[in-house]
Amino acid sequence: MPKRVKHRKSQRGRIKGNATRGNRVIYGEYGLQAVEGGWISAQTIEAGRIAAQQYVRGEGRLYIRIFPSKSVTSIPLETRMGKGKGEPDFWAAVVKPGTVLYEVAGISEAAAKICFARLAHKMPVRVRLVRREAI
């Protein structure tokens, strides 16, 4: 939980369009790119970090490119209508199609494929492996 937030009540919003920012591999050689949009909770991001870190361990480096900045609220079960908006239930990152979620550096392509295959199982959106483009 942050100490304070910019807006008191966060709206649901709609995920439309493709990502124009954060859609290229910048830090590593290989990246995991979202094919469809959605929310990825902070717990899921952390679970992916642990799964990738265990595989990359000593030789490679892992970069996380998304941050959970959206609070998702819920009202407790068996509560009557009214009484305002619920308390924050969890924090999530809003992901548009094309957003690079994770990047790895310092490992081979075969190792990156295996590492991202483990990550893809944990993600609630479809993902694909992308290579760094030469500029």
Side-chain angles (χ1 to χ4, degrees):
M1 285 286 293
K3 286 185 180 143
R4 61 191 163 139
V5 290
K6 193 169 184 180
H7 304 290
R8 282 192 29 216
K9 291 186 180 179
S10 118
Q11 305 283 317
R12 265 186 82 84
R14 271 182 60 203
I15 301 169
K16 55 182 195 258
N18 295 325
T20 54
R21 295 185 213 141
N23 59 357
R24 292 198 181 94
V25 179
I26 303 294
Y27 302 106
E29 287 109 39
Y30 303 101
L32 192 69
Q33 187 179 48
V35 178
E36 57 189 21
W39 292 347
I40 300 179
S41 69
Q43 269 188 314
T44 307
I45 296 168
E46 180 65 10
R49 183 195 68 82
I50 291 166
Q53 204 71 37
Q54 285 174 346
Y55 188 78
V56 172
R57 195 60 49 120
E59 67 265 12
R61 187 163 164 85
L62 178 73
Y63 299 94
I64 302 173
R65 296 280 308 274
I66 52 174
F67 185 79
S69 56
K70 179 182 184 57
S71 64
V72 180
T73 62
S74 70
I75 294 177
L77 294 172
E78 299 174 11
T79 304
R80 292 193 172 192
M81 296 289 283
K83 306 281 189 261
K85 191 167 181 177
E87 290 296 312
D89 195 26
F90 63 93
W91 290 82
V94 180
V95 172
K96 286 185 170 186
T99 305
V100 175
L101 311 175
Y102 296 89
E103 292 183 19
V104 289
I107 60 174
S108 66
E109 185 174 359
K113 278 185 181 176
I114 296 167
C115 178
F116 285 147
R118 293 175 59 153
L119 268 172
H121 285 293
K122 302 201 178 291
M123 294 297 120
V125 295
R126 286 187 316 154
V127 290
R128 67 178 179 184
L129 179 103
V130 286
R131 223 173 261 105
R132 187 179 195 153
E133 296 173 5
I135 298 171

